[in-house]
């Protein structure tokens, strides 16, 4: 259940940012800051040319690593809004998709969970190193623990396609592909 839940967390993040489905992206906001509707597949969607990472890099970063992350990602504020290097979106979006699909299907669960741990660590270091909602434990750290548990439990073998995937010779000899 945890594998499916974590997989859906990453897959939904991809779908919402790719198609502006109205949760993190696509909301139409009036002058008072109230949501008045959702512009599905609109200008906030990655498929429409929007950057799924520019807002987070431009506005959500805080703490001691913010400047370093902005430098690494090529962040700059323009008249059109925040901009980041295009490679960041092309690393971020496919990785969200692959992590989500890997965890849901049970194929390459270790790699998917490892990728999820890397993203959660990046989010934690960039945005939540001083938790806003809980002074002792941030949700990014809870996700890291769950993902590490999935790796240790070899979770993809059960209730998924992992057992079939692991039966292939080229996979069987490479445990990191489990």
């Amino acid at each position: 259940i945890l594998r499916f839940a974590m997989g859906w967390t990453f897959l939904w993040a991809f779908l919402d940012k790719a198609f502006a489905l109205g949760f993190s992206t696509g909301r139409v906001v009036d002058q008072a800051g109230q949501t008045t509707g959702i512009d599905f597949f609109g200008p906030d969607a990655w498929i429409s040319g929007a950057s799924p990472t520019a807002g987070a890099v431009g506005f959500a970063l805080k703490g001691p690593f913010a400047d370093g992350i902005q430098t690494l990602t090529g962040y700059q504020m323009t008249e059109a809004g925040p901009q980041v290097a295009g490679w960041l979106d092309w690393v971020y979006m496919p990785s969200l998709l692959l992590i989500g699909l890997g965890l849901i299907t049970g194929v390459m669960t270790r790699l998917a969970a490892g990728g999820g741990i890397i993203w959660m660590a990046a989010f934690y270091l960039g945005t939540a190193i001083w938790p806003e909602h809980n002074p002792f434990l941030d949700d990014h750290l809870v996700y890291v623990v769950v993902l590490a548990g999935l790796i240790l439990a070899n979770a993809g073998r059960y209730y998924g396609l992992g057992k079939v995937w692991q039966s292939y010779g080229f996979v069987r000899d490479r445990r990191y592909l489990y």
Side-chain angles (χ1 to χ4, degrees), residues 39-54:
D39 190 4
F40 296 106
F41 308 103
D44 291 342
W46 188 45
I47 62 168
S48 297
S51 172
T53 59

Side-chain angles (χ1 to χ4, degrees), residues 3-99:
R3 183 175 54 102
F4 288 115
M6 288 305 304
W8 180 248
T9 299
F10 283 94
L11 185 59
W12 179 255
F14 167 81
L15 293 170
D16 188 42
K17 289 168 183 20
F19 304 112
L21 299 178
F23 288 83
S24 293
T25 56
R27 291 179 185 242
V28 178
V29 181
D30 64 14
Q31 296 286 5
Q34 300 297 318
T35 299
T36 59
I38 299 172
D39 190 4
F40 296 106
F41 308 103
D44 291 342
W46 188 45
I47 62 168
S48 297
S51 172
T53 59
V57 172
F59 303 115
L61 291 181
K62 54 189 169 212
F65 301 105
D67 291 337
I69 292 170
Q70 287 181 338
T71 300
L72 177 70
T73 60
Y75 170 78
Q76 57 183 326
M77 182 55 82
T78 66
E79 288 182 21
Q83 301 290 317
V84 294
W87 65 265
L88 182 60
D89 294 337
W90 281 99
V91 168
Y92 181 64
M93 291 299 285
S95 67
L96 286 180
L97 176 63
L98 293 173
I99 291 167

Side-chain angles (χ1 to χ4, degrees), residues 164-175 177-178:
V164 173
W165 173 251
Q166 293 173 16
S167 70
Y168 293 114
F170 70 93
V171 175
R172 189 176 27 241
D173 299 336
R174 295 167 183 87
R175 292 185 59 87
L177 291 177
Y178 284 17

Side-chain angles (χ1 to χ4, degrees), residues 126-140:
T127 64
I129 201 160
W130 289 289
E132 291 181 29
H133 307 291
N134 183 324
F136 303 107
L137 187 61
D138 182 72
D139 57 336
H140 296 94

Side-chain angles (χ1 to χ4, degrees), residues 110 147-158:
R110 288 181 179 174
L147 291 165
L150 294 176
I151 292 170
L152 294 173
N154 197 12
R157 286 185 60 89
Y158 311 103

